[in-house]
Amino acid sequence: MLCRVGQMRRCAASLSQAINQVAASRQKHTLPDLTYDYGALEPHINAEIMQLHHSKHHATYVNNLNVTEEKYQEALAKGDVTTQVALQPALKFNGGGHINHTIFWTNLSPNGGGEPQGELMEAIKLDFGSFQKMKEKMSAATVAVQGSGWGWLGYDKESGRLRIAACANQDPLHGTTGLIPLLGIDVWEHAYYLQYKNVRPDYVKAIWNVINWENVSERLQTAKK
C-alpha cells in the first residue's frame, strides 16, 4: 500500500513538473512588425494614429495576453478551475485584440485600394452582386457597430460563401461566428479619432483606399483549403 502511495505521489510530482516545463517553454506572443512605415498610409490614416495604434494599443493586448496566459497556466497546474473560469474574459479580450490587429495590419497597404481581382472578385460578384454592393454593405455594417468593435468580410467554409459580420469589442470573428476572417475594419475610436474625430463614416470611406486586396485574396485561398 505504501509503495502504491509513493508511486502516486511521484506520478503527481512528475505531472506537475511536466506542466511547469510546458508553461516555461511556451513561446510568448510578440508584437508583429509592420511591412510599411507608420506614415505610409497617409493621407487616409495618419502616422500618429498608426504609431499609437500599433506600438501602444496592439502592444498592450500582446502584453496582457502573455500575463493572462501565465496566470492561466498556473491555475491549470494547480487544478484551480475557479481562476481558470475567471480568466476567460481577459483571454478573449486580449487574445482577440492580438488576433484582430495582426490581421488588420496585413489587410492594409500603401499600394492598396482599387478593386480585387481574380477569384476574390468573382466570389464577391456571386455573393453580393457587385464589388460596389459589397463595399456599401460592409461599410454600413461597420459604421453601425455600437460603441467599439469591428466590421468583417469573412468566409463561411460550410456554405462556401462570403459573409459580412460585425463583432463587438475585440471578439474574434472565427471564435464568435465561425467565419474565417478575410478583411477587418477596426472601428475602435483609437483607430481613427485623432484624424476623423467622431465622424466614423469618413474614416470607413477613406480606409478602402488602402485595402490590400492581394492579402485578402491570399486569405480566401487559404480558407478554401
Side-chain angles (χ1 to χ4, degrees):
M1 182 68 180
L2 289 175
C3 182
R4 289 184 62 188
V5 170
Q7 287 176 339
M8 290 174 66
R9 285 176 177 171
R10 285 194 296 273
C11 183
S14 296
L15 180 60
S16 178
Q17 184 179 13
I19 292 173
N20 290 333
Q21 286 174 345
V22 169
S25 64
R26 180 185 62 82
Q27 282 193 328
K28 289 192 174 183
H29 302 284
T30 58
L31 182 69
D33 293 329
L34 300 186
T35 58
Y36 44 83
D37 295 333
Y38 288 136
L41 304 182
E42 291 186 343
H44 311 293
I45 306 177
N46 69 36
E48 184 180 14
I49 287 175
M50 289 297 296
Q51 182 175 12
L52 288 171
H53 198 173
H54 178 257
S55 68
K56 301 298 183 183
H57 290 281
H58 189 176
T60 298
Y61 294 124
V62 172
N63 293 336
N64 288 342
L65 177 59
N66 284 324
V67 169
T68 304
E69 284 192 344
E70 286 177 6
K71 291 179 179 178
Y72 190 86
Q73 289 293 339
E74 291 173 2
L76 199 63
K78 295 175 182 177
D80 185 351
V81 178
T82 299
T83 298
Q84 291 173 47
V85 172
L87 289 169
Q88 291 300 316
L91 283 172
K92 181 180 180 182
F93 182 74
N94 293 294
H98 181 38
I99 291 169
N100 294 341
H101 284 89
T102 299
I103 295 169
F104 183 62
W105 307 130
T106 64
N107 278 166
L108 305 177
S109 169
N111 300 314
E115 297 185 356
Q117 305 295 322
E119 185 180 7
L120 175 59
M121 186 58 143
E122 293 306 312
I124 288 172
K125 288 178 179 178
L126 177 64
D127 294 330
F128 300 101
S130 69
F131 172 69
Q132 187 60 32
K133 287 180 180 178
M134 183 282 292
K135 188 175 170 182
E136 290 172 358
K137 186 174 182 179
M138 184 169 175
S139 293
T142 304
V143 169
V145 170
Q146 294 184 341
S148 301
W150 293 72
W152 289 100
L153 175 66
Y155 178 69
D156 185 340
K157 203 171 183 69
E158 186 174 337
S159 67
R161 308 295 290 271
L162 300 180
R163 298 278 186 258
I164 287 170
C167 292
N169 301 313
Q170 293 296 351
D171 292 359
L173 182 70
H174 191 226
T176 304
T177 68
L179 298 174
I180 299 173
L182 305 178
L183 170 63
I185 299 178
D186 186 353
V187 286
W188 279 66
E189 285 192 342
H190 62 237
Y192 63 89
Y193 197 87
L194 288 176
Q195 184 172 358
Y196 293 95
K197 301 301 186 276
N198 64 334
V199 190
R200 182 186 285 179
D202 285 357
Y203 157 71
V204 172
K205 181 179 179 181
I207 203 170
W208 291 104
N209 293 302
V210 289
I211 296 299
N212 183 354
W213 291 114
E214 287 186 11
N215 178 262
V216 181
S217 295
E218 290 170 1
R219 290 183 179 279
L220 176 60
Q221 291 172 7
T222 301
K224 286 187 170 184
K225 293 179 180 178

